[in-house]
């Protein structure tokens, strides 16, 4: 079985500042994929960033970057220069195993951005 | 229409009603998914269809019945639901790659149907 844990139910950040959201996971597979999804109040789930486990280099997408620590099974998301539009629920997700199109989600972290 | 669309966006039904949720993906993907999102709980995978074949039924009660007539459309038929079934139901699609490991492409989600069972 695979699990995803997000230990921060809520986080807040000042506009233009940097915030890091935590995620740890567990899987017995060596081949897996990790994702961060964002769900704004309108509820459309949007992919923020993805990481293939076999890649050592941390993924980046503009202001979003991850710190992927494979040995520690940690996959944190860093948002730089936070904007009001970044306010949302953020979900960490894992896909692994022979049927690795099955996503396991964490419970989410609600991010508030203060002006 | 682009991406993944879902109808209706909101649905209120009684426990004796029968209704259906519809999902359509315009991305040319070969896999579609139903998820349930309840408050304070992680998203729960309900069903997976891969090339129109159901490959996953995650111990979902039989009052939920999926249908996938083609790779672009996915339905969730609802009957005799319970109040605890009230939730946001999300549809997603992805392109599942071939090969031994079945590489994971990104899943794209629809806006969801907010269901309230009275």
């Amino acid at each position: 079985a695979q699990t995803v844990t997000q230990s921060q139910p809520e986080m807040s950040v000042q506009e233009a500042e940097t915030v890091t959201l935590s995620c740890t996971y567990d899987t017995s597979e060596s081949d897996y994929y990790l994702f961060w999804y964002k769900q704004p109040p309108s509820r459309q789930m949007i992919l923020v960033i993805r990481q293939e486990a076999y890649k050592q280099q941390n993924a980046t997408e503009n202001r979003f970057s991850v710190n992927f620590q494979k040995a520690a099974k940690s996959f944190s998301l860093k948002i730089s220069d936070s904007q009001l539009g970044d306010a949302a629920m953020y979900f960490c997700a894992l896909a692994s195993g022979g049927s690795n199109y099955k996503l396991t989600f964490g419970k989410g972290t609600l991010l508030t951005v203060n002006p | 229409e682009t991406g993944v669309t879902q109808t209706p966006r909101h649905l209120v039904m009684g426990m004796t009603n029968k209704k259906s949720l519809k999902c359509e993906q315009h991305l040319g993907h070969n896999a579609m998914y139903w998820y349930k999102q309840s408050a304070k709980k992680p998203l729960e995978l309900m069903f997976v269809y891969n090339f129109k074949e159901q490959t996953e039924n995650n111990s979902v009660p039989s009052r939920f019945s999926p249908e996938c007539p083609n790779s672009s459309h996915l339905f969730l038929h609802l009957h005799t639901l319970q109040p605890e079934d009230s939730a946001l139901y999300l549809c997603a699609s992805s392109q599942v790659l071939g090969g031994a490991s079945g590489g994971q492409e990104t899943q794209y989600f629809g806006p969801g149907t907010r269901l309230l069972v009275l």
Side-chain angles (χ1 to χ4, degrees), chain B residues 18-87:
Chain B
K18 290 183 179 181
K19 297 287 184 183
S20 295
L21 309 185
K22 178 183 176 182
C23 175
E24 184 173 1
Q25 59 96 0
H26 309 267
L27 300 169
H29 290 161
N30 58 15
M32 298 186 76
Y33 313 77
W34 280 117
Y35 288 89
K36 177 182 179 182
Q37 187 176 27
S38 305
K40 308 295 184 184
K41 294 177 68 176
L43 270 77
E44 302 171 62
L45 178 65
M46 300 175 71
F47 301 104
V48 179
Y49 277 83
N50 194 350
F51 293 101
K52 301 187 298 179
E53 298 296 322
Q54 187 181 129
T55 55
E56 190 77 21
N57 177 339
N58 212 22
S59 302
V60 180
S62 60
R63 57 186 184 270
F64 295 90
S65 174
E67 178 190 1
C68 188
N70 55 61
S71 58
S72 299
H73 294 85
L74 185 64
F75 295 89
L76 188 62
H77 304 299
L78 316 171
H79 64 97
T80 59
L81 294 190
Q82 304 298 311
E84 60 264 29
D85 297 321
S86 299

Side-chain angles (χ1 to χ4, degrees), chain A residues 48-67:
Chain A
V48 175
I49 199 165
R50 61 175 272 160
Q51 174 85 40
E52 290 85 350
Y54 62 85
K55 290 186 178 179
Q56 292 186 331
Q57 187 173 6
N58 289 326
T60 62
E61 284 289 340
N62 301 312
R63 297 182 295 107
F64 298 88
S65 61
V66 298
N67 183 4

Side-chain angles (χ1 to χ4, degrees), chain A residues 27-38:
Chain A
T27 177
S28 58
E29 303 292 333
S30 58
D31 175 30
Y32 55 90
Y33 302 77
L34 292 158
F35 305 83
W36 277 99
Y37 280 91
K38 167 186 176 181

Side-chain angles (χ1 to χ4, degrees), chain A residues 31 33 35 37 39 42-47 50 89 91 95 97-107, chain B residues 9-10 33 35 37 42-43 45 48 50 55-56 88 90 96 101-107 109-111 114:
Chain A
D31 175 30
Y33 302 77
F35 305 83
Y37 280 91
Q39 191 177 37
S42 65
R43 297 194 294 269
Q44 184 95 38
M45 191 86 72
I46 305 166
L47 176 74
R50 61 175 272 160
M89 184 72 84
F91 294 96
S99 300
N100 61 5
Y101 46 82
K102 291 167 54 178
L103 283 177
T104 299
F105 284 83
K107 288 187 176 182
Chain B
R9 294 294 305 276
H10 302 272
Y33 313 77
Y35 288 89
Q37 187 176 27
L43 270 77
L45 178 65
V48 179
N50 194 350
T55 55
E56 190 77 21
L88 181 68
L90 293 170
V96 176
S101 63
Q104 167 66 272
E105 289 297 321
T106 300
Q107 289 187 22
F109 286 81
R114 173 67 66 185

